[in-house]
Amino acid sequence: MIINILKNNALLFPEKIALEDNNQSYTYREVDTITNYLANKINQSIGKNKRILLRLTHSPDIILAVLSIIKSNNTFVPLPLDIDSEKFEHIFVSTKADLLITNIDLDFQQPREVKIMDIRNSINKRNLEFHNNYEYSEENEIYIMHTSGSTGKPKGVIINQKNLNYILNNIQIISPVNYLSTYLFSTPYTFDVSITEILGWIQGGGKVYTMPLKSIENYRLFTNKVKKYNITHFATSPSNFSTLIRILKKSEFYLLDQLKYVLICGEKFTKNIHDFYISNNFNFTLINVYGPTETTVYASYYILPRHQINDIPIGIPILDTTFKIFNDDKKECNEGLLHISGKGVSNGYIQEEMNGNFIQINNEMYYNTGDIVKRNEHLYYFKGRTDSQVKINGVRVELGEIESNIEKFKGVDKCVVIKNYRKLYAFILSDINLDGLKKKIEQLYPSFLVPHHFVVINQFPITSNGKIDKKKLIKKYIQSDPINESDNMDIEYLDLLKEISRILDIPIYDLHSNNNILDLGLDSLNIVQLILTLENYFDIKLEYSDIYSSENLNLLIKNCLIKKENDFIIVDKNLNDIQKNKIYKKLNDYLFQDFSPVHSFPVIHTQRLQFYNKFRSAAIVKYKFDKIDNALKVLNKLFLKHQILNSRITSTDGYLAFEIKKNISSVITIDDFNNSTAVISHIENIAPEILETSRKHNGLLSIPIIITNGSETYLLLILDHAIADKSVEKILMEEISFIIQGKEVPYSISYEQYCNYVFKFNKNKYLKKNTIHNNLISFNHDIRNFNIKLIPQKKTITAIPDPKLLKSIDYILFVSYHICKEIHRISNINKIIVAVLYDGRPLKDMRYTVGSCASSKYLLFDKENSYKDFYEKNIDVFHSTNYIDVFYRPGFLFNKNYPIFTEKEVFYKEKLSDISKISFNFLGEFDDLTKKEYLNNIKDTFLELQNTSKKIYINSFINNGYIHIISTHEIF
């Protein structure tokens, strides 16, 4: 039983890492005690033998929640994050759920009957000594997994303890786990394959690393993650694995051999994967696994040989599983409908009226899979489906559900959905506005339930027996004359089109249509492949924004050509004085416009320091659009979500506050210059100074500008540092891409909420509970004798080899450790505190928060520390999700009324302002030009700091394989 194994593991090796992602890790002891605590909390709330809905982001929270629910003798029901309110209501009613566990702020009203537990407020590694009262029974319901239903209502498959034991025992036989094994949890938890990732690692005392394969960045980092986290077990679909093959460089292939087992599941195994496996002579075991949700994840497996075979089978039944094949006459045969029996067969659906495919044969329960298979000796081969269930990128979809969803809309008389290639076509008998209908469907349903193409028709073609003739629909509306390869077309370009056709899995003759690029069926898999193909062909660098900002494929290719040509064009960036003055006036008039504020809230210490001191810095977001209207639409959405973009700072008798303007009533438009590049360059140069003046004189803090010369349009959004740290540029670029794709912008707390938390969690009652604060105060007693004069004051530049780390945090800790070692060597100081400027957002709800969230993190060094000791002692400073830690701001304690100090603030200033004599800022990676500009600009700043400051200031960046360290003092 998996719960007992977890408990034993926690006793045998309590401090072994069991669960981790990029931001946090948990030992076996912590996993066991946290889940005991949560299980008790669940039991106190709803008791036992109840059903619990899960709506969680892909994170360790899922694994902790699942284990807690099993321990509490309840049933978990995973829900997708983007579930619509109607489907939520259906699942809530059909499951009779009593509790919803989540780690997001909910976006629609939940039924009054359901209790809500926010797991973010419940996970605490400290002081958790609860015991578990789990009562084992093979008939216990463990989870309900929903699959697509032909009525438009999802079907809930009930999996019990016996079923779970079956799959976990079998997965340990197929791909054994030991103490050194690491599972990758990458599958969405609403798909049953994830069960083996969520729980399979516990069997042999392994661990699990959490990372969703959703973005191009994660694909590119895959081998790095495999190496860094020693990943050995990886399960994925053929589509995912094929994408991974295309992204990886050949020089990285060898890193895949750190994997021990690769399980391919969810779709028909493709030959290219086997070819890749053979040609690279990999040592890992490659396995094709098959099984429907109704038989608990996997029902058969086949270990791929290291030689070519003509047809790849789904293999043989796994332990405690029996296969039977029946023909149309319900007689056993070697090719026909597959029926499965055994310990993995579930008790059916929660909707008992849907249990028609669960049938008794010789007093044994079998599940009719609807799959056509062929048996050849002892091996089984998948041949196809008998009904309208299809798979899109590994997700099983019932075409009838999609038809039913679309037919709910007023004005739609009839809908027929057909799969052609890998794309879904919806044929609609209606006079409804197609654009409006598609937009509503995209907002209401997950992407795999949204057809790639919509076709409005006047009537359906009918067969002789009175049924809709789907073949005629395809022939009439989907197919057309293909491109003639003998036309005057460059052969290499034709090869490009063929490759794009293969990637998107649509006919080559569809590529030159004027369909919006979003209608080509782009998804998280093939958009990565498309980017890589275009980059290679045109020898350019592309981002997601380049894809989504192109209206259709023809325009995308044209933009790639323009981008390639512009790489070789030298543009005169000089503007005359009249032009410069005209731009300055437009920016100044916008910033100092009159408006009546609709809301205000107090600033924190960050803005007070910037308001009363010389501080000049700005974040700049630049995005190219094809139309001004699209740029305006994006601006309106951004300003609507982030009210701080429409703010100014006002001062009344020393009280500073943000005042919020109602909405974005005007935008600066510059359309009377031919040279957009010169205009953009000039604005980027002057904006920081203009914004500094605006900040100090009650002007706005952001400048939205649309620059167009007739042929191209740019959105330029420039934000004063008072409302934007370094991370904001990336945040806004991602949100622009979401808006362009027609997706909901992810939720985040507002900057006002952020400021409120800073005020709240720096009060005395929270400081008493703050471990970081108390450690700093205690540590400070030991470093008061640190005399900075022992370190020679001289600007120095040092370079050390780049260890090729993965994250900025790792570089910060690496360089900080070396700085402390050198200072200890020079000064013989045994304990040192380094203040590091950091603008990370550790909370999920802060990931898209726009504002100035940067703060100092304090790293503690002791002369006895090895690098490992130093790293482990300080890493939690960056990754903690405890609100008390996240919003702790020592500077706020003595600067919240800056430049005035109360008696209490004077106390904190004496205790904390000089707590660190070393200020360190890691700047990231620089190219040669940026390095040169930075070193030229830093001279005066460092000279001023040397003359006025009592601290050591250190900056660091990476360039050409070295970490460069610049200091106001001679420490190297």
Side-chain angles (χ1 to χ4, degrees):
M1 168 54 212
I2 201 68
I3 298 302
N4 291 335
I5 296 173
L6 174 64
K7 182 179 179 180
N8 290 337
N9 290 348
L11 293 172
L12 289 171
F13 25 83
E15 300 309 314
K16 180 182 186 288
I17 296 297
L19 166 61
E20 61 184 341
D21 67 1
N22 285 342
N23 301 315
Q24 55 200 326
S25 63
Y26 299 87
T27 64
Y28 265 98
R29 177 184 58 79
E30 288 167 344
V31 170
D32 193 40
T33 55
I34 287 171
T35 52
N36 283 346
Y37 167 74
L38 289 174
N40 277 273
K41 190 171 182 178
I42 291 168
N43 290 143
Q44 290 170 10
S45 177
I46 62 170
K48 298 180 179 180
N49 302 316
K50 304 290 177 60
R51 290 166 178 167
I52 300 172
L53 306 178
L54 297 181
R55 195 173 176 206
L56 298 164
T57 57
H58 195 103
S59 65
D61 289 354
I62 291 174
I63 296 174
L64 295 174
V66 165
L67 287 168
S68 303
I69 293 169
I70 295 174
K71 286 184 174 185
S72 71
N73 291 281
N74 287 293
T75 306
F76 69 90
V77 185
L79 303 176
L81 276 181
D82 57 355
I83 191 170
D84 62 273
S85 58
E86 182 179 348
K87 185 166 287 189
F88 180 93
E89 178 72 18
H90 168 74
I91 292 176
F92 169 69
V93 171
S94 63
T95 59
K96 299 177 182 177
D98 291 272
L99 179 66
L100 168 65
I101 295 179
T102 187
N103 61 4
I104 63 170
D105 291 328
L106 301 174
D107 49 3
F108 53 81
Q109 188 66 40
Q110 313 304 308
R112 290 182 181 178
E113 300 87 345
V114 67
K115 296 180 179 180
I116 298 173
M117 178 187 293
D118 191 331
I119 199 170
R120 293 170 295 187
N121 302 326
S122 303
I123 295 177
N124 189 332
K125 293 184 178 183
R126 304 182 185 97
N127 302 321
L128 300 173
E129 295 297 332
F130 291 83
H131 297 287
N132 176 239
N133 299 312
Y134 178 72
E135 298 170 3
Y136 178 84
S137 168
E138 284 201 342
E139 296 309 310
N140 281 353
E141 265 188 22
I142 299 297
Y143 66 85
I144 296 174
M145 194 72 69
H146 283 84
T147 64
S148 187
S150 59
T151 64
K153 303 293 185 183
K155 298 181 291 187
V157 182
I158 302 171
I159 300 298
N160 62 24
Q161 184 66 64
K162 179 183 74 174
N163 303 141
L164 182 64
N165 292 346
Y166 150 89
I167 187 57
L168 293 180
N169 290 338
N170 270 291
I171 203 67
Q172 182 69 350
I173 294 170
I174 297 169
S175 53
V177 173
N178 59 39
Y179 183 87
L180 300 177
S181 301
T182 302
Y183 258 80
L184 176 64
F185 173 31
S186 61
T187 305
Y189 78 136
T190 50
F191 303 142
D192 59 345
V193 171
S194 66
I195 297 300
T196 61
E197 300 169 353
I198 291 170
L199 299 173
W201 53 278
I202 300 173
Q203 297 274 88
K207 69 175 181 178
V208 60
Y209 171 72
T210 299
M211 180 182 76
L213 283 180
K214 284 188 175 181
S215 67
I216 188 171
E217 288 79 11
N218 282 354
Y219 279 108
R220 285 173 172 160
L221 289 173
F222 183 85
T223 51
N224 287 328
K225 300 297 186 184
V226 168
K227 180 179 180 182
K228 180 175 181 180
Y229 293 97
N230 299 313
I231 294 168
T232 56
H233 289 59
F234 177 43
T236 190
S237 69
S239 295
N240 272 332
F241 198 79
S242 296
T243 300
L244 188 62
I245 292 170
R246 284 181 52 78
I247 289 177
L248 294 181
K249 300 174 183 176
K250 287 186 178 180
S251 60
E252 294 177 298
F253 285 176
Y254 79 96
L255 291 170
L256 291 176
D257 247 346
Q258 184 164 313
L259 296 167
K260 302 299 181 186
Y261 299 94
V262 176
L263 280 66
I264 304 296
C265 51
E267 296 172 335
K268 188 173 182 179
F269 196 107
T270 51
K271 189 174 182 296
N272 70 305
I273 295 175
H274 192 211
D275 292 341
F276 175 76
Y277 178 68
I278 295 170
S279 63
N280 286 280
N281 196 28
F282 288 119
N283 291 318
F284 62 75
T285 302
L286 181 64
I287 307 172
N288 183 25
V289 282
Y290 159 87
T293 303
E294 290 82 352
T295 63
T296 316
V297 192
Y298 302 141
S300 69
Y301 76 105
Y302 178 73
I303 298 176
L304 275 295
R306 300 181 186 278
H307 58 80
Q308 296 286 352
I309 54 177
N310 292 328
D311 195 7
I312 298 170
I314 59 174
I316 60 174
I318 60 179
L319 187 67
D320 296 319
T321 301
T322 302
F323 281 10
K324 285 185 181 292
I325 303 173
F326 295 91
N327 60 21
D328 291 341
D329 296 324
K330 299 183 180 179
K331 294 181 179 179
E332 282 197 61
C333 59
N334 286 327
E335 184 169 354
L337 269 177
L338 176 63
H339 292 63
I340 300 176
S341 72
K343 291 184 178 179
V345 177
S346 78
N347 288 338
Y349 305 111
I350 53 176
Q351 304 94 338
E352 293 183 1
E353 68 277 8
M354 295 182 177
N355 283 336
N357 284 336
F358 292 89
I359 56 178
Q360 290 278 343
I361 301 175
N362 299 328
N363 295 321
E364 184 77 17
M365 180 65 73
Y366 279 77
Y367 174 68
N368 176 1
T369 65
D371 291 333
I372 299 172
V373 301
K374 180 179 180 179
R375 181 174 56 226
N376 186 355
E377 297 182 348
H378 65 289
L379 293 175
Y380 291 80
Y381 295 80
F382 176 80
K383 294 299 178 182
R385 297 281 308 162
T386 60
D387 53 20
S388 62
Q389 285 186 344
V390 298
K391 286 195 174 181
I392 303 295
N393 292 328
V395 182
R396 190 168 69 176
V397 175
E398 194 87 54
L399 297 183
E401 178 181 8
I402 301 175
E403 293 168 349
S404 182
N405 289 340
I406 295 173
E407 287 173 353
K408 292 175 184 176
F409 288 91
K410 186 177 180 180
V412 176
D413 298 323
K414 177 71 177 174
C415 176
V416 171
V417 177
I418 297 173
K419 183 185 180 189
N420 189 55
Y421 289 79
R422 282 194 307 140
K423 307 305 172 195
L424 297 180
Y425 291 78
F427 296 92
I428 302 170
L429 190 63
S430 173
D431 56 0
I432 197 170
N433 179 278
L434 196 57
D435 291 337
L437 174 65
K438 184 179 179 184
K439 185 175 181 181
K440 290 178 182 176
I441 292 170
E442 288 173 339
Q443 290 173 342
L444 288 174
Y445 299 108
S447 58
F448 59 83
L449 291 180
V450 179
H452 304 95
H453 302 278
F454 289 77
V455 182
V456 174
I457 60 176
N458 296 323
Q459 62 180 31
F460 286 102
I462 303 297
T463 63
S464 57
N465 60 5
K467 295 183 178 181
I468 293 175
D469 193 331
K470 295 182 179 180
K471 290 182 179 179
K472 284 186 178 180
L473 279 176
I474 293 172
K475 185 176 181 180
K476 182 175 180 180
Y477 293 101
I478 298 178
Q479 291 183 356
S480 59
D481 293 330
I483 294 173
N484 187 342
E485 295 190 18
S486 64
D487 288 347
N488 295 325
M489 183 178 290
D490 181 85
I491 297 300
E492 289 186 3
Y493 179 64
L494 182 59
D495 288 341
L496 171 67
L497 292 181
K498 287 180 178 178
E499 180 64 8
I500 294 174
S501 173
R502 185 196 66 77
I503 291 168
L504 300 178
D505 200 11
I506 62 176
I508 194 170
Y509 46 74
D510 266 3
L511 295 180
H512 279 294
S513 69
N514 287 321
N515 287 333
N516 188 288
I517 199 159
L518 298 178
D519 293 331
L520 294 178
L522 291 175
D523 55 41
S524 59
L525 301 177
N526 59 28
I527 190 173
V528 175
Q529 297 172 331
L530 179 62
I531 288 173
L532 293 173
T533 299
L534 292 171
E535 284 180 344
N536 183 59
Y537 181 83
F538 291 104
D539 193 22
I540 56 176
K541 189 69 177 174
L542 293 173
E543 304 294 340
Y544 284 123
S545 58
D546 295 305
I547 304 297
Y548 288 109
S549 62
S550 300
E551 190 171 337
N552 53 54
L553 191 63
N554 289 331
L555 189 57
L556 172 59
I557 291 174
K558 179 181 177 182
N559 289 340
C560 289
L561 286 167
I562 293 171
K563 183 181 278 285
K564 184 178 179 66
E565 291 170 2
N566 285 345
D567 285 344
F568 301 98
I569 296 174
I570 298 175
V571 180
D572 180 10
K573 295 188 176 182
N574 294 324
L575 298 176
N576 60 46
D577 289 342
I578 295 175
Q579 291 172 321
K580 290 179 180 178
N581 289 336
K582 187 174 183 180
I583 292 172
Y584 178 86
K585 186 177 186 308
K586 285 194 173 191
L587 270 56
N588 201 62
D589 288 347
Y590 176 85
L591 289 171
F592 291 99
Q593 61 182 279
D594 291 330
F595 71 86
S596 299
V598 295
H599 179 57
S600 68
F601 62 93
V603 305
I604 56 175
H605 64 298
T606 306
Q607 289 79 33
R608 297 191 71 90
L609 290 166
Q610 293 166 351
F611 186 84
Y612 288 109
N613 294 292
K614 182 179 179 181
F615 198 91
R616 185 176 299 170
S617 179
I620 300 173
V621 177
K622 181 174 70 175
Y623 200 97
K624 187 176 180 180
F625 288 86
D626 57 333
K627 296 178 181 178
I628 291 179
D629 288 348
N630 291 339
L632 288 171
K633 174 186 174 184
V634 165
L635 267 180
N636 282 324
K637 283 185 176 287
L638 291 177
F639 274 66
L640 186 63
K641 182 189 178 192
H642 304 292
Q643 291 185 335
I644 197 68
L645 296 177
N646 226 8
S647 68
R648 67 185 178 192
I649 295 176
T650 58
S651 173
T652 307
D653 296 329
Y655 173 79
L656 299 189
F658 283 112
E659 288 190 343
I660 308 297
K661 185 180 172 187
K662 184 175 183 181
N663 52 41
I664 182 168
S665 57
S666 63
V667 175
I668 299 171
T669 303
I670 299 176
D671 55 7
D672 49 355
F673 292 84
N674 292 326
N675 193 338
S676 297
T677 305
V679 173
I680 292 170
S681 178
H682 177 65
I683 292 174
E684 288 176 345
N685 286 332
I686 67 171
E689 181 179 356
I690 295 175
L691 281 168
E692 182 188 23
T693 302
S694 183
R695 181 203 324 138
K696 291 178 176 294
H697 295 88
N698 298 346
L700 289 168
L701 300 173
S702 72
I703 313 173
I705 311 167
I706 292 178
I707 302 166
T708 182
N709 60 10
S711 61
E712 55 187 10
T713 298
Y714 288 93
L715 166 61
L716 199 61
L717 184 56
I718 306 179
L719 314 174
D720 184 69
H721 194 76
I723 60 168
D725 56 31
K726 191 167 59 175
S727 294
V728 167
E729 293 178 6
K730 179 178 178 292
I731 289 170
L732 291 176
M733 283 295 292
E734 286 189 23
E735 291 194 340
I736 290 171
S737 294
F738 281 124
I739 295 169
I740 290 173
Q741 295 174 46
K743 296 182 178 179
E744 286 296 316
V745 176
Y747 169 80
S748 60
I749 64 172
S750 68
Y751 192 59
E752 179 179 1
Q753 289 172 295
Y754 170 86
C755 292
N756 288 340
Y757 284 140
V758 172
F759 276 101
K760 176 179 178 180
F761 290 108
N762 286 279
K763 293 180 178 178
N764 280 334
K765 68 174 182 178
Y766 292 105
L767 292 176
K768 292 176 183 177
K769 305 174 186 177
N770 191 319
T771 305
I772 295 174
H773 174 74
N774 293 322
N775 285 343
L776 280 176
I777 297 294
S778 173
F779 213 76
N780 193 32
H781 289 301
D782 300 321
I783 63 170
R784 289 190 176 276
N785 59 339
F786 182 4
N787 185 359
I788 196 172
K789 292 181 181 180
L790 293 173
I791 314 294
Q793 191 179 62
K794 179 183 177 183
K795 179 191 168 190
T796 57
I797 301 177
T798 307
I800 59 176
D802 178 6
K804 303 295 183 184
L805 304 173
L806 290 178
K807 296 181 291 187
S808 293
I809 292 171
D810 293 333
Y811 277 105
I812 289 170
L813 290 166
F814 178 79
V815 177
S816 297
Y817 177 74
H818 284 279
I819 290 170
C820 291
K821 289 290 284 185
E822 289 302 309
I823 290 176
H824 166 66
R825 179 184 62 80
I826 295 169
S827 65
N828 206 29
I829 298 298
N830 295 331
K831 293 190 176 183
I832 302 169
I833 298 177
V834 180
V836 176
L837 188 65
Y838 182 66
D839 60 357
R841 288 158 165 76
L843 298 178
K844 298 179 184 70
D845 285 355
M846 279 179 63
R847 184 181 172 191
Y848 291 95
T849 296
V850 169
S852 186
C853 301
S855 65
S856 289
K857 301 294 183 183
Y858 294 90
L859 310 183
L860 311 182
F861 170 86
D862 190 287
K863 71 171 184 175
E864 305 298 333
N865 288 158
S866 66
Y867 175 62
K868 183 174 181 291
D869 297 332
F870 179 78
Y871 186 96
E872 291 177 349
K873 178 165 60 177
N874 290 292
I875 188 66
D876 283 347
V877 171
F878 299 99
H879 291 323
S880 174
T881 55
N882 182 321
Y883 276 42
I884 294 175
D885 295 341
V886 170
F887 294 101
Y888 173 55
R889 299 289 182 270
F892 175 82
L893 297 176
F894 54 84
N895 282 323
K896 64 180 177 181
N897 292 303
Y898 182 88
I900 299 170
F901 300 96
T902 65
E903 184 177 340
K904 183 182 292 185
E905 288 158 6
V906 170
F907 168 79
Y908 279 125
K909 187 173 176 62
E910 290 175 353
K911 288 279 187 182
L912 297 172
S913 66
D914 291 327
I915 196 167
S916 173
K917 304 289 186 180
I918 305 153
S919 177
F920 172 51
N921 189 12
F922 178 70
L923 304 172
E925 187 160 0
F926 286 177
D927 58 26
D928 289 341
L929 179 60
T930 307
K931 172 188 172 183
K932 183 179 178 180
E933 291 176 347
Y934 169 77
L935 292 178
N936 286 333
N937 294 334
I938 200 67
K939 291 177 182 177
D940 293 339
T941 304
F942 265 43
L943 183 61
E944 182 180 343
L945 289 171
Q946 285 175 329
N947 293 331
T948 61
S949 178
K950 298 178 182 179
K951 293 188 177 184
I952 300 173
Y953 286 88
I954 304 168
N955 286 353
S956 178
F957 60 85
I958 304 166
N959 172 259
N960 288 337
Y962 286 90
I963 301 175
H964 297 263
I965 304 170
I966 304 95
S967 173
T968 54
H969 290 65
E970 194 173 4
I971 60 172
F972 285 94

